[in-house]
Amino acid sequence: MSYSPAELLAVIAARQLAGVKSVFAGVGIPLLAAALAQKTHAPDLTIVVEGGSIGPELLPGRLPISTNEMRVAHRARVLPGITDTFLFAQRGFLEVGFVGGAQVDRFGNLNSSVVGSYDKPQVRLPGSGGANDIISLCHRVMVVTMHERRRFVPRVDFITSPGFLSGGTSRRDAGLLFGRVSQVVTNLGILGFDEESKAMRLEGLHPGVSVQDVVEMTGFDLLINDELPITEPPEEEELALLRGLDTERRFI
Amino acid sequence: MEPGDFVEARRRLEAKARPGGVKLTSLTEAAGWVKDGDVVAIGGCCYSRTPLALLMEILRQERRGLTLARNLMCYEGEWFIAAQAVETVVSSWFAIGLPWGLSKVFRQAVEGGQVRYEEWSHLALGLRFRAGAMGVSFLPSLSMLGSDLMGVGSAKTMECPFTGETIALIPALFPDVAVLHVHRADRLGNCQIDGYPHMDVDIALASTTVLVTAEEIVSEEQIRSQPDRTKIPGFAVDALVEVPYGAFPHECYGLYEADFDHFDKYVAEGSSQGAEGVREYLDRYVYNTPDHKDYLSLFGAGTLDRKARDAQQLVGRG
């Protein structure tokens, strides 16, 4: 069964939501992964979207492009204001968050603000949106991203969304008492973080991917687990569900 | 006004001669409240309930040196940059939407130093409006901490006097003018919003002057029959204009869906060519359309009807 890197990402991210009750998801792959999880491994999952929607159901073929449009409100249970939606996370109601970014570093910090300096950027990116809030406030956060060397940098140019900052206890010391980056799910494998140093660690590989492939696509020294389980490839049912949602193939 | 200056914000509100009673006026008169150099907060979110008709009228009046504050900016931000009307953007995100990639106009303006981008997290900007709405100088938050965003705007940290933990203090934003689009209002400016509230109520209460367009002006009796749905009280509103399809081609919950085909066209013919491309688009759609009806006629009645049906389907009424 052939599948695209984006389909693989969505399937793997969905599997990580097994048994989860609430997820804070942005549009694109994260929302597709959450919707897939709801139909497979996490039937009790409530999806929360930052534009102010709790418990929406996606209408196949009408996937949202932005987090705050009517397509995300379809069959929702609550439509709170945006500030209140984030405050549910600040209060501690939301288990898992999904985030991405143009750059991610060895401590799981994310940059979606600038390449270069803030005041004189080489590339001005759109900015945080809700990423900073999601990574600061949910119980745990999964980074979902394509695995590219230019993306996996030793140190992000700008910390838009704080992972483990400079490692060790620095996240806690900055006042971020709750939450953590638990996983980085890429199209090559699954990564986590060392319990003490908080440095990124390779913990699993997708079918047909070698450790060398991951190392070459990573711009810093990765810790590598002794045992590296191989991911089960996407099943026909998972792919069919995904394709049934994204009939336009906008995101997958 | 300095961030968080609740004393000055309250003085300005009290000193202002608010028009009493009926708030109905024209787009031209409403937009006339905006002065060069004002901080203008825009309601809605990204391409949802953007007060485009009012924003277009502000552009026609050729304001300069504005600061635009909006939680997620869509292409209306590109319009103000291309028209050289804006100096500072206060936001958490600026693009059009995922399929259209980075905004070339925004990139060139910020990278070239023409426009300053003051970036906040989405919640932090919401708390800025809420603190403003509450008339206090700041709200505490557990967000923003540890990130480089703390060094961009005027957020501070302090040791919590109750627990000793480090907390972030997010300063109030008191815009000079709020520009909002709502579903319905009575002539006194009591406003009802369907679907997503976004940040509109906080923005209205935080701002010194509040300009509103409504899809429909309804009777005072209709508002009185459902007061629980009224989100903004008339006493907070300065100017009100009835503008059907006042957010189009952005969406208005339950009434019309966004016209993504037009977004494709805008990007292909306009913004992918940079500021010059956007100026050509503005010539056609804004400067040469004296009123909103002329503007809507460029989209064709078929499109408006189709987008209305799409909206009804999404909210379960179609």
Side-chain angles (χ1 to χ4, degrees):
Chain A
M1 188 102 206
S2 70
Y3 46 83
S4 70
E7 286 176 323
L8 177 67
L9 262 186
V11 167
I12 305 301
R15 290 179 188 167
Q16 312 306 313
L17 293 176
V20 168
K21 300 284 193 286
S22 56
V23 62
F24 208 127
V27 291
I29 297 293
L31 194 54
L32 275 172
L36 175 59
Q38 209 171 36
K39 290 175 188 292
T40 53
H41 323 286
D44 299 330
L45 184 68
T46 295
I47 299 173
V48 177
V49 184
E50 71 181 76
S53 181
I54 296 182
E57 290 177 0
L58 300 183
L59 196 60
R62 302 279 291 280
L63 294 185
I65 291 167
S66 167
T67 57
N68 43 76
E69 58 161 292
M70 262 182 283
R71 292 177 180 199
V72 198
H74 184 64
R75 288 181 53 76
R77 298 176 195 276
V78 193
L79 296 180
I82 292 166
T83 304
D84 297 311
T85 303
F86 283 114
L87 293 179
F88 291 127
Q90 181 167 286
R91 180 69 180 89
F93 286 108
L94 300 182
E95 268 180 82
V96 174
F98 279 132
V99 290
Q103 292 180 330
V104 54
D105 68 21
R106 62 192 290 256
F107 293 118
N109 301 303
L110 293 157
N111 175 16
S112 48
S113 297
V114 287
V115 177
S117 73
Y118 188 87
D119 292 324
K120 280 263 169 204
Q122 287 165 272
V123 183
R124 179 62 238 196
L125 302 162
S128 163
N132 173 286
D133 308 303
I134 291 169
I135 211 169
S136 300
L137 303 174
C138 291
H139 300 195
R140 64 189 170 89
V141 160
M142 238 181 279
V143 177
V144 180
T145 182
M146 291 293 170
H147 208 130
E148 301 163 316
R149 195 174 177 87
R150 65 182 176 93
R151 207 180 273 278
F152 281 68
V153 296
R155 183 79 186 154
V156 291
D157 292 355
F158 184 92
I159 300 179
T160 311
S161 305
F164 291 107
L165 296 177
S166 53
T169 62
S170 57
R171 180 182 165 98
R172 168 76 180 77
D173 299 341
L176 292 162
L177 308 187
F178 313 110
R180 67 200 161 88
V181 181
S182 59
Q183 277 172 317
V184 180
V185 176
T186 80
N187 54 314
L188 299 183
I190 297 178
L191 304 97
F193 295 87
D194 179 74
E195 289 75 12
E196 290 295 314
S197 71
K198 309 295 188 196
M200 200 185 293
R201 181 171 67 193
L202 182 60
E203 297 181 346
L205 293 168
H206 298 330
V209 178
S210 69
V211 171
Q212 191 56 29
D213 293 336
V214 177
V215 167
E216 276 173 18
M217 286 298 182
T218 306
F220 52 86
D221 287 341
L222 266 180
L223 303 175
I224 296 170
N225 262 4
D226 294 339
E227 295 198 12
L228 291 171
I230 307 294
T231 312
E232 290 294 325
E235 289 169 14
E236 213 163 311
E237 189 205 350
E238 292 170 313
L239 292 171
L241 285 167
L242 270 184
R243 292 168 188 175
L245 285 167
D246 192 1
T247 55
E248 295 176 300
R249 293 296 183 92
R250 204 184 260 282
F251 300 110
I252 51 175
Chain B
M1 201 181 329
E2 291 302 308
D5 189 349
F6 68 105
V7 178
E8 176 62 18
R10 170 140 179 170
R11 283 193 183 125
R12 285 191 192 183
L13 192 74
E14 289 187 3
K16 193 160 88 62
R18 273 200 191 265
V22 177
K23 308 294 171 65
L24 282 172
T25 183
S26 64
L27 275 177
T28 309
E29 293 277 324
W33 284 83
V34 180
K35 304 297 176 215
D36 289 349
D38 273 356
V39 177
V40 177
I42 303 171
C45 182
C46 196
Y47 52 72
S48 181
R49 229 160 25 72
T50 311
L52 287 182
L54 256 171
L55 293 174
M56 287 191 283
E57 186 56 29
I58 292 168
L59 284 173
R60 289 186 196 107
Q61 296 188 11
E62 299 185 335
R63 293 280 74 83
R64 288 287 177 270
L66 301 175
T67 292
L68 296 183
R70 190 177 200 213
N71 53 350
L72 306 183
M73 298 288 297
C74 189
Y75 65 62
E76 71 289 343
E78 297 190 327
W79 292 1
F80 280 78
I81 291 172
Q84 299 183 316
V86 58
E87 280 181 4
T88 302
V89 171
V90 179
S91 188
S92 78
W93 190 88
F94 192 131
I96 298 173
L98 275 188
W100 300 285
L102 300 178
S103 162
K104 189 172 181 177
V105 177
F106 169 64
R107 272 196 63 184
Q108 285 176 341
V110 177
E111 291 165 17
Q114 177 203 335
V115 167
R116 193 174 74 88
Y117 181 32
E118 186 182 303
E119 182 181 341
W120 296 80
S121 80
H122 203 173
L123 171 59
L125 189 49
L127 293 175
R128 296 201 65 190
F129 290 131
R130 181 152 300 170
M134 292 168 68
V136 298
S137 53
F138 69 90
L139 281 170
S141 178
L142 307 182
S143 209
M144 296 273 284
L145 292 162
S147 76
D148 288 333
L149 292 174
M150 288 297 296
V152 171
S154 40
K156 295 183 189 304
T157 57
M158 76 173 288
E159 187 180 296
C160 167
F162 298 100
T163 65
E165 301 289 355
T166 301
I167 53 173
L169 309 185
I170 310 298
L173 178 58
F174 295 105
D176 295 302
V177 183
V179 181
L180 309 173
H181 184 67
V182 304
H183 287 76
R184 71 193 69 79
D186 65 17
R187 61 197 185 125
L188 306 178
N190 295 292
C191 299
Q192 296 187 343
I193 295 169
D194 297 346
Y196 293 117
H198 298 313
M199 297 183 180
D200 285 43
V201 176
D202 287 335
I203 290 171
L205 302 182
S207 301
T208 309
T209 295
V210 177
L211 315 177
V212 180
T213 51
E215 288 286 328
E216 189 183 11
I217 302 300
V218 298
S219 69
E220 290 172 53
E221 273 316 302
Q222 183 175 336
I223 295 291
R224 283 183 193 278
S225 71
Q226 290 184 310
D228 52 313
R229 298 190 60 179
T230 307
K231 299 292 191 279
I232 300 170
F235 59 65
V237 173
D238 295 278
L240 172 68
V241 191
E242 185 177 50
V243 187
Y245 286 94
F248 197 79
H250 291 196
E251 73 165 38
C252 190
Y253 184 93
L255 296 180
Y256 44 90
E257 198 182 13
D259 182 1
F260 297 125
D261 291 340
H262 187 78
F263 285 39
D264 288 340
K265 183 179 153 76
Y266 167 78
V267 172
E269 296 173 10
S271 82
S272 64
Q273 317 296 316
E276 193 49 45
V278 173
R279 281 193 284 273
E280 283 171 23
Y281 177 93
L282 291 177
D283 277 341
R284 175 148 186 240
Y285 283 87
V286 179
Y287 299 124
N288 289 324
T289 57
D291 72 33
H292 201 64
K293 283 197 184 72
D294 300 320
Y295 164 79
L296 290 175
S297 71
L298 296 175
F299 295 89
T303 304
L304 300 185
D305 293 344
R306 190 157 37 82
K307 290 299 153 194
R309 284 195 301 276
D310 289 347
Q312 286 167 3
Q313 185 191 8
L314 284 168
V315 302
R317 294 198 295 260

